[in-house]
Amino acid sequence: MRIIVQQGAIQQTVADAIVVNLFEGVTAPGGATGAVEAALRPPGAAQGPLGQRIQLGDFTGKLNEITIIYTAGALPAARVIVVGLGKAEEFTLDRARQASATAIRTARDLGCRTVATIAHGGGIGGFAMREAAQATVEGALLGSYTFQEQKTSANNRHRLESCILVEYDARKVAEAEAGAREGEIVARAVNAARTLVNRPPNLLTPAAFAEEARDMAQRVGLSCTVLEEADLAAHQMGGLLAVGKGSVNPPRFVVLEHAPAGAAEARPLVFVGKGVTFDTGGISIKPADNMQSMKADMSGAAAVFGAMQAIAQLGLTQRVVGLIPLVENMPDGRAFRPGDVITMMSGTTVEVISTDAEGRLILADALHFAKRYRPRAVVDVATLTGACVVALGEEVAAGLFANDEAWAACVQRAAEASGERVWRLPLYEDYGDKIRSDYADLKNSGGRNSGVGTSAYFLYHFVRGADSYPWAHLDIAGMMFSSETKGYHVKGARGFGVRLLVALAQGV
Ligand code: BES
Ligand code: MN
Ligand code: ZN
């Protein structure tokens, strides 16, 4: 879907549908909605079709509520889609994103090819036009996302070709344009991450993911290095190599770098994403029920991929490095096994208790590798533990661990700005006690209890030491999928983390 920004009056815009909005409790619509209503009011009538619906209680303006008005030739557009924004005092940009998504999806499902919308939240919403336009465009593109790569017949319900963002005030059009472009970059990056997660694991192997990264980097102007198995051996990445041993699809390690002129030598922000393209559990095999969801065990990697794509396209001024360890965790005659002791890139030895605690092994090597960049700060994103899902819930929030209060606060601000929720969890030393091994320096599992804390503390071990850095760990295990299409979420991969990481790099 193309995004077009246009100066004009929404009620005069030529499109298959136009979108306006209403705050809950408003009885006499103003602004663009009022102008549409006035144009639809029959001569001599006390009110127009929207006022009538409000009066009858048929439309109240609750968040994401929709009513469709057919204009019968009174306007160039045959349909008016009115979307509720909820109560004015509860309005946020995230609500603008949701409302936009719901309205644009309504137009799409009606079979519209072109839809025109106002920027939600710019007028009485109280937000700057730039922010309102960005949120509206993000909502439109995120909400109308579909994944159809493996469908053999084209779904012709989905033929939305363009979305026109209409701004009446000529002085605000440049601002709307800037916001729309930014929203477009960010939303396309989230959708790219969603597509990688949705793609089946037989197609998205570590090598295939690395190829996608190489193509993307070329397109947007990032530098990209892909380490293959021999390179991983040369770097002594014992964690990544051990996990990869059971698969015929060999591991990869992708390094993406955004090094803008003037900051190319600066200490970078480093993002690390867990890229397990499929997690069977290995020899410590998982139960069969719902195992297919473990194709999403590379959601952290996809978040880093998407964020790096957006950061390059936005032309952010700071240096950012993305590290993506990629591996498939399979049971096999060559697979690593419980009882094995492996030597990590850092030299630390790890006793394998469970081959299903594989994420921390590949992340540990990446977090150690990060030290060579002398990072300003690091954040890793990983679908690391079922225990985090038990603690915080599915589709609720990511767990946040950090070794630095200022950096934790930055991550929390980015989470609030993006609407991607995180909840801080503690790094108590007690968790460290539970992963001491009798046979090596560490063991990779502390058992069922304290599952999320011990996994974070395991990672913390590889961050500490002389060349340590401010670090945050996001456990996004509960945030892989949306179970239903709602607001700007579409059933399937969520693309969680892209917007948070971009906000972080923007220094929000
Ligand atoms: N990828 C899983 C974690 C996961 C589980 C993500 C459910 C999303 C939904 C991870 O590799 C894993 O298997 N973790 C184990 C660790 C345990 C063996 C210490 C877990 O959480 O059970
Ligand atoms: Mn696992
Ligand atoms: Zn895993």
Side-chain angles (χ1 to χ4, degrees), residues 138-160:
E138 282 179 7
L141 287 168
L142 294 175
S144 58
Y145 170 84
T146 58
F147 177 76
Q148 308 209 316
E149 288 182 356
Q150 263 63 52
K151 298 282 191 189
T152 53
S153 61
N155 189 341
N156 57 7
R157 264 195 325 134
H158 301 159
R159 56 188 165 194
L160 206 46

Side-chain angles (χ1 to χ4, degrees), residues 245-246 283 330-337:
K245 275 168 63 183
I283 298 298
M330 297 290 268
D332 182 77
R334 288 186 178 77
F336 78 133
R337 50 184 100 54

